[in-house]
């Protein structure tokens, strides 16, 4: 790292170009550009639009809202079926209580009348609801496949052309060798090799935070207030710039020395037909064929370099990939996950201990009070306990989220699935089961049906669960504080936009919210049918709040597949088992509860029947469909691409200064709205500069990552270009656009900063060559350019340059 003296030497008292003044309205407009999903014309999706429009966000988003709707209909059916149980509970004799909540419960089966009505009013509705739930779970599986197939055919994405390859040997991960191997299946558009980049990502994150801080300091220096110490701000700016230069040097070193392949590669075919042929040849899921291959009897599977069997699967979408986690092996991920399960169990144990102490204290206070006063006190304590359980759930959510991040999953889908499983288990145990277990130990089953007992406490928990999470989902306190408090003290546009940054939506957390709501209904609904009505209201609120949050508040999650919905279906099957067990517990005082036992026997074949053998229930995998209509990958507009972060250009203070002065292009990777008419017009963008490639790894712009265009298929020799003029000493090349001017009375330190950075990383002073694009050469094609020292440099034509036009090459 740089010393304090070196930081001051970088640019004492100097000033870059004027930074953009803070514009609150512009920051709000730019934040809205990042919020929610948009249609093909870039317009925000309407809140009242059909669910199928949400398929633009991927299969996972559309399945989530369809699941919410189906569950709401299911709970409405349960409420209708359970009307007989509710009427029987209210009309039972010997129920001397003033609480309507307790009167609606099953109550102790200690009278002949209650036992006589058990079969017709309780067991039959329970059986119908349980069987309906089993049919509903099978229906969900069919809808998962149908929605996944429909969404995949409706939208063309990068995943339609790409396969993910695992098991590539580290010593043979050259893109050209992989391209040659996969070319036997079809034309290859891109080979994106995954490199170890976790350390690089850490440095890049630090650099971006310092970049925002630097912009804030520049604004304070250029627009000082009466009590501002400009000298102190200049010193801090120099320190920040020195730290940024040190991070740039470290990132450059990581690119040169530590670019070790992870064994994961994404191969993008130009046409979907090549992808299908590749999956058919290398993705053999038949266990008989795998056994024959292991025995050496089947040699039809092509092997990489004649010796390596590659694991090829359909690729996730580019936004779904966590490149920095590809270096973590499956064994380490499992080890981290098992450790997180233990940590989650510890959190639940602490919550159980707290509930035990709270319940014992409540029972002690109720016994010391008179009957009426004790009942009122018990009701009040039940409401307080519901709020405490909801608060503990919030703490568990934060802790489990941090623990799941520690696992370092390869994709966002795997992360969401892991988060969902842990959150669902924690929610169900803490919110639904601990209350039952604690009460059994303190007062037995008979204490469930009294004022302030388990049933009343479960009712208040259900009410809190229906309202509080959805309010938090829509009215984000952290977002409100940043936007309406911290933004008022921001002095730069970069800091203002950072405060207006929209939150990120987590679909696994949303699914976990549905699961805990349904768990309350399935656990307590048989004994308290009114819980089904509360669940219907909760699901309606969840649908409205989730849709508003995803379309108007949050940054949409990446496109996920139906794996998360499949996890939800599996957990729902386990909740059915839990409901059946509780039905047996509720009728434990009856000598022969036959029907719940029969349901328990029926559950096991339902749970373990291999639905994958049924064509309508088979898990959908896009291996045989042809949903791109023969379109080429390079012809699909605005399609995302696979780019490992470490192969991109290292950002620099110099580039940050130029880009900050040449607004309105976003420095954070999204399309920015134009400034308002009252704002001064932005400086025109400089002429495009083609940067040379280092080996096979392109370095596009760090804020708007674009892959290096591949040379068109079949192109032979690389044409040469004519150099018109040379600009040395690291200065930017002149262009037809008006160059940026320094602030009056100050000089720009960028030449000195650039030279300092070059010295720091051991580079030579840069120069820029003015090049004319030769005939018959277009955007994305390779050129050979001769430097003044005679060295031939391979570059690629910028995407907006055609034959006869000039561009610049930085060497």
């Amino acid at each position: 790292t740089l010393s304090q003296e070196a930081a001051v030497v970088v640019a004492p008292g100097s000033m870059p170009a004027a930074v953009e003044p803070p514009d609150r309205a512009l920051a709000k407009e730019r934040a809205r550009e990042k919020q929610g999903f948009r249609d093909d014309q870039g317009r925000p999706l309407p809140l009242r639009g059909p669910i199928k429009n949400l398929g633009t966000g991927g299969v996972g988003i559309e399945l989530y809202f369809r699941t919410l709707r189906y569950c709401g209909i299911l709970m409405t059916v349960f409420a209708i079926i359970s009307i007989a149980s509710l009427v029987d509970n209210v009309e039972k004799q010997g129920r001397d209580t003033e609480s309507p909540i307790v009167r609606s419960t099953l109550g102790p089966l200690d009278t002949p009348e209650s036992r006589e009505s058990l079969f017709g009013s309780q067991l039959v509705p329970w059986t119908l609801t349980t069987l309906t739930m089993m049919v509903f779970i099978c229906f969900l599986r069919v809808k998962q496949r149908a929605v996944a197939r429909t969404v995949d055919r409706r939208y063309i994405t990068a995943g339609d052309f790409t396969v993910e390859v695992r098991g590539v040997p580290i010593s043979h991960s050259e893109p050209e060798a992989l391209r040659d191997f996969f070319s036997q299946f079809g034309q290859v558009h891109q080979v994106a090799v995954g490199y170890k980049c976790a350390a690089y990502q850490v440095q890049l994150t630090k650099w971006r935070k310092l970049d925002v801080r630097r912009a804030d300091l520049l604004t304070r220096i250029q627009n000082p207030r009466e009590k501002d110490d400009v000298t102190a701000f200049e010193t801090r700016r120099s320190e920040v710039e020195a730290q940024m230069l040190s991070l740039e040097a470290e990132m450059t070193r990581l690119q040169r020395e530590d670019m070790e392949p992870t064994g994961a590669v994404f191969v993008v075919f130009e046409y979907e037909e090549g992808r299908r042929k590749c999956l058919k040849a290398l993705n053999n899921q038949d266990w008989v064929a795998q056994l024959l291959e292991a025995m050496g009897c089947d040699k039809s599977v092509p092997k990489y370099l004649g010796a390596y069997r590659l694991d090829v699967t359909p690729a996730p979408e580019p936004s779904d990939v966590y490149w920095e986690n590809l270096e973590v092996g499956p064994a380490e991920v499992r080890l981290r996950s098992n450790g997180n399960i233990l940590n989650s169990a510890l959190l639940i144990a602490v919550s159980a201990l707290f509930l035990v102490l709270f319940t014992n204290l409540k029972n002690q206070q109720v016994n010391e009070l008179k009957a009426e006063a004790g009942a009122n006190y018990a009701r009040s304590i039940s409401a307080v306990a519901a709020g405490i359980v909801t608060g503990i759930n919030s703490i568990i959510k934060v802790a489990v989220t941090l623990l799941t991040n520690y696992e370092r999953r390869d994709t966002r889908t795997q992360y969401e699935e892991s988060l969902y499983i842990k959150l669902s288990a924690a929610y169900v145990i803490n919110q639904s089961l601990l209350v039952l277990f604690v009460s059994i130990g303190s007062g037995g089953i008979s204490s469930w049906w009294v004022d302030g007992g388990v049933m009343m406490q479960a009712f208040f928990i259900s009410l809190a669960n229906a309202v509080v999470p959805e309010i938090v989902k829509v009215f984000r306190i952290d977002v409100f504080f940043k936007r309406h408090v911290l933004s008022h003290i921001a002095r730069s546009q970069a800091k203002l936009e950072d405060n207006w940054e929209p939150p990120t939506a987590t679909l696994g957390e949303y699914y976990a919210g549905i699961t805990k709501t349904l768990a309350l209904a399935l656990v307590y609904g048989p004994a308290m049918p009114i819980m089904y009505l509360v669940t219907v209201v909760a699901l309606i609120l969840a649908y409205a709040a989730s849709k508003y949050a995803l379309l108007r508040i949050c940054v949409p999650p990446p496109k996920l597949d139906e794996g998360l919905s499949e996890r939800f279906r599996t957990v729902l099957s386990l909740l059915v088992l839990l409901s059946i067990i509780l039905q047996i517990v509720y009728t434990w005082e009856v000598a022969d509860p036959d029907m719940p036992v029969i349901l328990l026997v029926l559950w096991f074949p339902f749970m373990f029947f291999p639905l994958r053998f049924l064509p309508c229930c088979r898990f959908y995998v896009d291996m045989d469909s042809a949903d791109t209509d023969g379109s080429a990958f390079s012809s699909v507009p605005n399609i995302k691409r696979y780019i490992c972060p470490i192969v991109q250009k290292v950002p620099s203070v110099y580039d940050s200064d130029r880009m900050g002065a040449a607004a309105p292009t976003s420095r954070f990777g999204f399309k920015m709205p134009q400034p308002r008419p009252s704002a001064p017009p932005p400086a025109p963008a400089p002429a495009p500069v083609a940067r040379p490639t280092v080996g096979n790894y392109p370095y596009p712009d760090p804020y708007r990552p674009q892959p290096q265009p591949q040379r068109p298929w079949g192109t032979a020799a690389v044409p040469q270009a004519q150099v018109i003029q040379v600009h040395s000493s690291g200065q930017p090349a002149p262009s037809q656009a008006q160059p940026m001017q320094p602030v009056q009375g100050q000089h720009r330190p960028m030449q000195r900063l650039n030279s300092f950075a070059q010295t720091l990383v051991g580079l030579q002073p840069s120069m820029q060559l003015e090049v004319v694009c030769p005939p018959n050469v277009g955007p994305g094609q390779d050129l050979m350019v001769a430097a003044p020292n005679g060295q031939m440099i391979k570059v690629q034509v910028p995407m907006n340059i055609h034959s006869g036009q000039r561009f610049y090459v930085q060497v």
Side-chain angles (χ1 to χ4, degrees):
T1 58
L2 299 178
S3 63
Q4 173 72 18
E5 294 77 8
V8 176
V9 170
V10 171
S14 57
M15 181 64 57
V19 296
E20 186 179 2
D23 187 337
R24 190 178 183 85
L26 186 59
K28 294 171 65 174
E29 291 177 15
R30 292 177 175 177
R32 291 193 190 100
E33 286 290 321
K34 303 173 70 173
Q35 295 171 350
F37 299 102
R38 299 180 179 273
D39 57 18
D40 296 337
Q41 287 73 36
R43 297 170 300 186
L45 295 181
L47 290 173
R48 297 185 180 181
I51 293 181
K52 67 178 184 179
N53 290 349
L54 298 173
T56 186
V59 177
I61 294 294
E62 183 171 342
L63 275 177
Y64 168 75
F65 284 99
R66 291 192 180 276
T67 301
L68 267 176
R69 174 178 290 184
Y70 298 147
C71 290
I73 296 174
L74 178 71
M75 290 297 109
T76 303
V77 173
F78 280 15
I80 295 174
I81 294 175
S82 302
I83 290 177
S85 300
L86 181 62
V87 173
D88 180 71
N89 293 341
V90 175
E91 292 181 351
K92 281 180 181 178
Q93 299 296 327
R95 303 293 302 280
D96 186 15
T97 177
E98 297 180 359
S99 173
I101 299 175
V102 176
R103 288 184 61 84
S104 67
T105 62
L106 176 65
L109 301 175
D110 53 0
T111 61
E113 293 81 3
S114 61
R115 298 191 179 190
E116 289 178 1
S117 62
L118 177 63
F119 180 83
S121 300
Q122 305 295 338
L123 294 181
V124 171
W126 293 358
T127 304
L128 290 177
T129 55
T130 303
L131 294 178
T132 303
M133 193 70 187
M134 292 181 181
V135 174
F136 173 76
I137 292 174
C138 295
F139 167 77
L140 271 186
R141 189 69 197 89
V142 176
K143 293 302 296 184
Q144 284 176 6
R145 177 177 175 81
V147 172
R149 183 175 62 252
T150 302
V151 173
D152 182 63
R153 292 178 177 178
R154 192 185 306 155
Y155 302 99
I156 298 178
T157 62
D160 294 326
F161 302 88
T162 311
V163 295
E164 181 181 5
V165 184
R166 294 299 183 102
V168 179
I170 304 299
S171 58
H172 300 285
S173 298
E174 298 82 5
E176 292 303 326
L178 290 165
R179 179 188 293 272
D180 293 340
F181 173 75
F182 284 97
S183 294
Q184 63 182 303
F185 306 110
Q187 179 180 344
V188 177
H189 178 88
Q190 177 194 7
V191 175
V193 180
Y195 297 96
K196 294 183 177 180
C197 58
Y200 180 88
Q201 285 287 81
V202 171
Q203 304 297 324
L204 182 60
T205 302
K206 293 180 180 178
W207 189 94
R208 288 173 175 168
K209 291 181 179 179
L210 289 174
D211 190 27
V212 175
R213 184 180 176 188
R214 173 178 175 268
D216 190 65
L217 290 172
L218 289 175
T219 306
R220 294 174 184 269
I221 295 171
Q222 295 178 0
N223 304 288
R225 296 177 180 175
E226 183 177 354
K227 297 182 179 180
D228 286 346
D229 187 355
V230 178
T231 304
F233 290 153
E234 290 179 347
T235 303
R236 290 165 59 185
R237 176 183 65 84
S238 299
E239 295 173 356
V240 169
E241 289 175 347
Q243 294 177 31
M244 294 174 68
L245 290 172
S246 179
L247 292 174
E248 293 166 18
E250 177 62 17
M251 286 187 284
T252 303
R253 186 194 66 80
L254 291 173
Q255 280 189 340
R256 292 183 170 183
E257 301 176 7
D258 296 343
M259 284 185 59
E260 180 181 349
T262 60
V265 177
F266 296 90
V267 180
V268 184
F269 290 91
E270 182 67 18
Y271 297 96
E272 188 182 16
E273 180 66 23
R275 173 182 180 271
R276 292 209 309 272
K277 290 181 179 179
C278 178
L279 289 173
K280 185 176 181 181
L282 300 179
N283 184 260
N284 194 347
Q285 301 296 331
D286 187 0
W287 65 272
V288 176
Q290 293 178 359
L291 180 62
L292 292 176
E293 181 185 353
M295 297 173 59
C297 300
D298 185 7
K299 300 182 179 181
S300 60
V301 178
K303 293 186 178 181
Y304 179 53
L305 300 179
Y308 301 100
R309 175 69 163 89
L310 301 178
D311 183 15
V312 180
T313 56
E317 296 299 328
S319 58
D320 195 16
V321 180
Y322 284 150
W323 293 92
E324 63 272 20
N325 294 344
L326 294 177
E327 59 193 68
V328 182
E332 184 177 351
V333 172
R334 286 193 296 268
L335 181 62
R336 291 168 179 255
S337 180
N338 294 334
N340 288 343
I341 292 176
L342 296 178
N343 293 329
S344 301
L346 180 62
L347 289 174
I348 295 174
V350 172
S351 177
L353 178 62
F354 178 82
L355 283 177
V356 168
L357 296 177
F358 187 83
T359 302
N360 293 335
L361 179 62
K362 180 192 72 173
N363 294 336
Q364 181 181 357
Q365 294 292 331
V366 170
N367 294 332
E368 294 177 357
L369 296 174
K370 295 181 180 180
E372 183 177 356
N376 293 331
Y377 177 80
R379 297 189 195 109
S380 303
I381 290 299
S382 297
V384 173
I388 293 175
V389 170
T390 304
I392 293 176
N393 280 341
S394 301
I395 298 175
I396 289 177
K397 181 183 72 174
V398 174
V400 170
T401 301
L402 294 176
L403 292 174
T404 308
N405 287 330
Y406 172 74
E407 294 179 7
R408 299 187 64 182
R409 299 283 178 172
D410 290 348
T411 63
R412 178 68 178 266
T413 298
Q414 295 178 8
Y415 165 80
E416 298 277 7
E417 292 177 4
S418 178
L419 178 65
Y420 166 70
I421 293 296
K422 294 178 178 59
L423 276 181
S424 298
Y427 284 160
V428 172
I429 295 175
N430 181 67
Q431 188 165 270
S432 302
L433 299 183
L434 283 184
V435 179
L436 291 172
F437 295 153
V438 169
S439 299
I440 290 177
S442 60
I445 298 178
S446 60
S447 65
W448 292 2
W449 322 104
V450 300
D451 284 339
V454 171
M455 293 299 159
M456 180 172 286
Q457 188 169 339
F459 178 78
F460 286 123
I461 289 175
S462 182
L463 287 180
N465 174 72
V467 178
V468 175
E470 311 313 322
I471 293 177
V472 173
K473 193 182 294 181
V474 174
F475 301 99
R476 298 283 299 263
I477 299 178
D478 54 339
V479 176
F480 181 86
F481 179 76
K482 291 177 62 178
R483 291 184 174 182
H484 300 284
V485 178
L486 296 181
S487 64
H488 287 284
I489 61 176
R491 299 281 293 274
S492 68
Q493 186 68 24
K495 189 66 175 178
L496 187 62
E497 291 176 8
D498 184 62
N499 290 331
W500 275 87
E501 185 76 11
T504 302
T506 305
L507 204 58
E509 180 184 333
Y510 285 11
Y511 266 105
I514 306 178
T515 302
K516 68 178 179 179
T517 300
L518 294 178
L520 287 170
L522 294 176
V523 169
Y524 296 102
M528 189 165 51
I530 197 175
M531 291 290 287
Y532 295 132
L533 293 176
V534 177
T535 303
V536 171
V537 175
L539 293 175
I540 293 175
L541 294 176
Y543 184 93
S546 299
K547 197 169 186 180
Y548 184 82
L550 286 172
L551 296 184
R552 295 294 183 267
I553 297 178
C554 298
V555 176
K559 294 182 178 181
L560 308 178
D561 57 25
E562 68 270 33
L564 193 57
S565 182
E566 175 66 16
R567 297 282 187 179
F568 170 77
R569 194 187 67 84
T570 303
V571 172
L572 209 57
S573 301
L574 297 177
L575 290 181
V576 173
L577 173 63
L578 184 61
S579 178
I580 296 173
I581 294 175
L582 264 297
Q583 291 175 23
I584 296 176
V585 173
Y586 293 148
T587 57
W588 192 257
E589 299 175 359
V590 181
D592 192 17
D594 293 333
M595 297 191 71
V597 175
I598 294 175
L599 292 175
L600 182 62
V601 174
L602 291 176
W603 179 86
F604 285 96
F606 159 77
M607 179 65 184
F608 297 104
F609 180 80
L611 291 177
R612 64 180 181 273
F613 291 117
L614 298 178
C616 61
C617 297
R618 191 175 301 160
F619 196 77
Y620 177 75
V621 179
D622 181 25
M623 294 178 59
D624 300 321
S625 64
D627 52 2
T628 61
D629 297 327
S631 300
F633 179 86
S634 56
S635 66
V636 180
N638 301 323
I639 193 168
K640 294 185 179 294
R641 300 172 185 267
Y642 297 86
I643 310 173
C644 186
I646 199 171
V647 304
Q648 299 184 81
K649 175 183 176 292
V650 175
S652 68
V653 178
Y654 173 67
D655 289 338
S656 175
D657 186 37
R658 291 186 62 186
M659 296 178 69
T665 302
S666 168
R667 299 167 57 208
F668 300 98
F670 55 92
K671 184 178 180 180
M672 308 294 284
Q674 297 289 341
R676 296 179 298 170
S678 58
V689 177
R691 301 183 182 275
T693 58
V694 178
N696 293 318
Y697 315 119
Y699 293 160
D701 188 278
Y703 297 101
R704 300 179 63 85
Q706 296 290 333
Q708 191 76 347
Q710 299 293 334
R711 179 161 49 89
W713 182 260
T715 301
V718 179
Q720 296 188 10
Q722 178 184 4
V723 177
I724 303 300
Q725 193 174 359
V726 179
H727 307 275
S728 57
S729 302
Q731 293 287 357
S735 64
Q736 297 177 357
Q738 182 68 23
M740 296 176 294
Q741 298 296 333
V743 179
Q744 294 296 330
Q746 297 170 341
H747 65 278
R748 296 190 57 175
M750 299 319 304
Q751 180 178 352
R752 300 173 59 184
L753 279 173
N754 199 29
S755 301
F756 183 86
Q758 293 165 353
T759 305
L760 188 64
V761 300
L763 299 177
Q764 298 297 325
S766 63
M767 66 179 65
Q768 293 196 355
L769 310 179
E770 187 175 357
V771 181
V772 175
C773 185
N776 301 323
V777 176
Q781 292 187 251
D782 293 338
L783 288 177
M784 299 303 297
V785 177
N789 59 2
Q791 180 185 2
M792 298 301 295
I793 303 172
K794 183 180 179 180
V795 301
Q796 290 184 333
V797 180
M799 299 306 295
N800 58 340
I801 296 298
H802 300 274
S803 299
Q805 295 181 336
R806 300 184 182 186
F807 61 96
Y808 298 96
V809 177
Q810 183 177 351
V811 296

